Amino acid sequence: MRENISILLLMLIAVPIAGELKFHPFQDEFRISFGTTAFFFFLLWLRPSFLAGVVTGLIVVLFRIVLDFLYEDVFSLLVSFQMHFPAFCYYAAFACLFSLFRVNTLHHRPLWVGLLGTVAEIAANLVELSFRAVSWEGVFQLEVVGPIAVIALIRSFFVLSFFNMIQLRQAKWMEKQQRNRNEQMLMLISNLYEESVLLKKTLHQVEDITRSCYELYREMNEVEQKNGTSKRYAKRLLSLAGQVHEVKKDNQRIYAGLSKLISDENDRDYMPLGELIGIIVQGQRKYARLLEKDIQFETNVEVPYLACHIYTTLSLINNLVGNSVEAIRDRGMVSIVASIDESQGWLQFVVTDDGPGIVVKDKELLFMPGFTTKYDVSGRPSTGIGLSYVKEMTDSLQGMIDLSEDSCGQTTQFCIRLPIATLIQKG
């Protein structure tokens, strides 16, 4: 509604002014101007169009009367009104036919919009001429109708082409915005997927802790019963087991909600591998700019149209690429290679960076929860769960992950090999 009002106000200003850019084809008061061109253009944006046409016609007549008052030596309101009233008939007739033809419901059929706009303008021009002419016989003649029809046809399709260019540009902009939102949503859900895997692991650990607490309670209860002492410690252990059990139930509810959100197996959970790698690169390129780093990305996807599970692929590869971006100090290169070995049934991802390397004697420490070699500017370490998640997820998918460096320690390469069946769309 607010948009329609804004367009109407702009129309009421633009059309009268554009109407003064004119010529007179029949050497009388009938004019061909840019006002009608602007009028048709604005009508394509407005609903309802008839009321807008009537209001515009009134404003045009009022504007021209004001101009007569300002610039004519001898001004007569009645004469000025009689001279400009046919213009109101033009705008009202045009808007009436435009609304009657329901042109604004045919934007998906531009040829019809152009033709109906031409018919409406020809008819509106004839209505205006009928009010200006002494007799109708002088209006409906070929030398009058012909030029009007040609001008109307050219002008209608000129306006339509300009309108469609704006619509196309707007559609591309909206598509880009929607694509960005979709990519952000995919990355968000992939992060939730990662958290759900870690939460599932925590649930197993909490279950073990609960079981251990309860077994310890039973042992303590038997010991205190034999000793004839109060069961104070046994009761505290039972209370502790109960609290841990409550934590487990809360985590189970959270896990159930996450699973319902991301674990439905349907076509929307799969995307071509090339697009997934592109989403990762685009997100990490923004991350690198945020960190004020100059990082170039290279990709080589051997099977770009292979449909892979979105969240598994994103969570694994995005973690590795993110580690590479964080490891590079100021500038560098990150390479992502995805290949397939059909004979072995493997899908392989290789992420390489030219950062400072990993100075760790025992490379297995990298995949332990909490271990990190990255610190922020204040000296605080990162969480150290990214690579541990990648390792655990790879193992759960019956895959393998390897770390290698060149002899100088200036190139770090992570290689993940996964069974193709664990990532591709089934069926």
Side-chain angles (χ1 to χ4, degrees):
M1 182 63 181
R2 184 178 299 177
E3 181 181 355
N4 275 349
I5 293 176
S6 300
I7 294 174
L8 178 60
L9 292 176
L10 185 60
M11 176 179 173
L12 295 179
I13 296 173
V15 172
I17 295 175
E20 298 309 307
L21 302 174
K22 62 188 184 294
F23 68 94
H24 300 270
F26 305 120
Q27 306 301 319
D28 56 13
E29 294 301 327
F30 178 79
R31 67 176 72 183
I32 299 294
S33 69
F34 282 100
T36 53
T37 304
F39 181 65
F40 182 31
F41 175 76
F42 283 112
L43 280 185
L44 290 172
W45 298 93
L46 282 173
R47 297 180 187 180
S49 52
F50 175 67
L51 181 60
V54 172
V55 175
T56 303
L58 291 173
I59 296 297
V60 167
V61 173
L62 180 61
F63 181 77
R64 293 178 183 178
I65 290 175
V66 171
L67 289 181
D68 289 346
F69 174 75
L70 293 175
Y71 294 106
E72 288 189 1
D73 295 333
V74 179
F75 172 74
S76 171
L77 178 62
L78 181 60
V79 172
S80 180
F81 178 77
Q82 289 176 343
M83 182 172 59
H84 298 305
F85 176 74
F88 168 79
C89 298
Y90 167 85
Y91 287 104
F94 191 107
C96 179
L97 292 173
F98 193 91
S99 180
L100 184 65
F101 292 155
R102 302 175 65 86
V103 176
N104 276 336
T105 64
L106 301 173
H107 287 178
H108 61 290
R109 304 177 70 179
L111 181 60
W112 276 104
V113 173
L115 292 176
L116 292 176
T118 301
V119 171
E121 182 168 349
I122 293 173
N125 278 318
L126 293 178
V127 169
E128 181 181 353
L129 282 172
S130 299
F131 277 89
R132 295 187 184 279
V134 177
S135 64
W136 285 27
E137 289 79 5
V139 174
F140 296 97
Q141 295 182 4
L142 182 61
E143 57 268 19
V144 174
V145 178
I148 289 177
V150 172
I151 293 172
L153 183 66
I154 295 173
R155 186 156 53 187
S156 294
F157 279 93
F158 170 77
V159 171
L160 183 62
S161 62
F162 188 64
F163 174 78
N164 283 336
M165 283 192 295
I166 294 176
Q167 290 281 74
L168 180 61
R169 186 176 182 86
Q170 185 179 16
K172 288 184 177 180
W173 181 83
M174 293 178 65
E175 180 187 5
K176 182 180 179 181
Q177 295 299 314
Q178 185 63 41
R179 186 169 60 250
N180 290 337
R181 285 193 294 267
N182 289 341
E183 291 177 357
Q184 291 173 359
M185 186 61 66
L186 288 177
M187 295 303 297
L188 175 62
I189 296 179
S190 71
N191 291 336
L192 291 177
Y193 182 81
E194 178 180 340
E195 298 299 331
S196 71
V197 172
L198 297 174
L199 183 58
K200 185 177 181 181
K201 177 186 176 184
T202 302
L203 283 174
H204 291 303
Q205 292 175 334
V206 171
E207 182 70 28
D208 294 337
I209 293 172
T210 304
R211 188 181 301 108
S212 299
C213 285
Y214 185 72
E215 291 175 356
L216 186 57
Y217 153 74
R218 293 179 62 182
E219 293 176 5
M220 182 63 69
N221 188 46
E222 291 176 0
V223 170
E224 291 181 336
Q225 189 173 6
K226 289 179 181 179
N227 294 336
T229 58
S230 64
K231 298 180 180 180
R232 182 179 59 178
Y233 293 109
K235 290 179 179 179
R236 289 178 63 182
L237 280 172
L238 182 61
S239 175
L240 181 61
Q243 293 174 23
V244 175
H245 182 67
E246 288 299 319
V247 171
K248 184 193 76 171
K249 289 197 297 183
D250 290 341
N251 285 344
Q252 282 178 331
R253 283 191 289 269
I254 297 172
Y255 179 74
L258 288 176
S259 299
K260 185 178 180 181
L261 176 66
I262 61 181
S263 65
D264 293 336
E265 290 292 330
N266 53 55
D267 292 342
R268 292 176 299 176
D269 291 339
Y270 294 85
M271 279 181 63
L273 183 57
E275 292 185 26
L276 289 175
I277 299 300
I279 290 174
I280 292 171
V281 169
Q282 184 172 349
Q284 293 299 333
R285 186 175 284 122
K286 293 178 181 178
Y287 183 45
R289 287 198 295 265
L290 180 65
L291 298 177
E292 298 182 352
K293 296 182 179 182
D294 181 15
I295 299 179
Q296 303 298 319
F297 293 86
E298 288 185 351
T299 62
N300 182 11
V301 183
E302 186 179 290
V303 280
Y305 300 108
L306 181 67
C308 294
H309 190 260
I310 295 173
Y311 312 122
T312 305
T313 308
L314 285 179
S315 62
L316 288 175
I317 310 307
N318 195 55
N319 256 305
L320 295 180
V321 178
N323 279 336
S324 294
V325 170
E326 292 171 353
I328 294 174
R329 290 194 176 95
D330 295 314
R331 62 180 56 195
M333 173 74 70
V334 176
S335 170
I336 308 171
V337 178
S339 58
I340 190 170
D341 185 350
E342 295 184 3
S343 62
Q344 300 293 327
W346 290 105
L347 187 59
Q348 179 172 284
F349 300 95
V350 179
V351 178
T352 308
D353 67 75
D354 57 358
I358 302 173
V359 185
V360 181
K361 294 181 180 180
D362 188 359
K363 296 288 193 302
E364 291 298 323
L365 290 175
L366 281 175
F367 302 107
M368 292 181 63
F371 180 84
T372 182
T373 59
K374 299 189 294 291
Y375 298 84
D376 62 17
V377 293
S378 62
R380 290 177 298 184
S382 65
T383 58
I385 62 173
L387 288 178
S388 65
Y389 163 77
V390 172
K391 173 65 174 175
E392 184 169 340
M393 193 64 187
T394 303
D395 291 341
S396 68
L397 295 173
Q398 299 178 348
M400 295 180 291
I401 180 170
D402 296 318
L403 168 65
S404 61
E405 293 182 314
D406 64 1
S407 58
C408 300
Q410 294 298 310
T411 300
T412 304
Q413 183 179 92
F414 284 94
C415 176
I416 295 180
R417 284 179 291 175
L418 298 171
I420 298 176
T422 61
L423 286 182
I424 66 172
Q425 188 170 5
K426 299 176 178 63

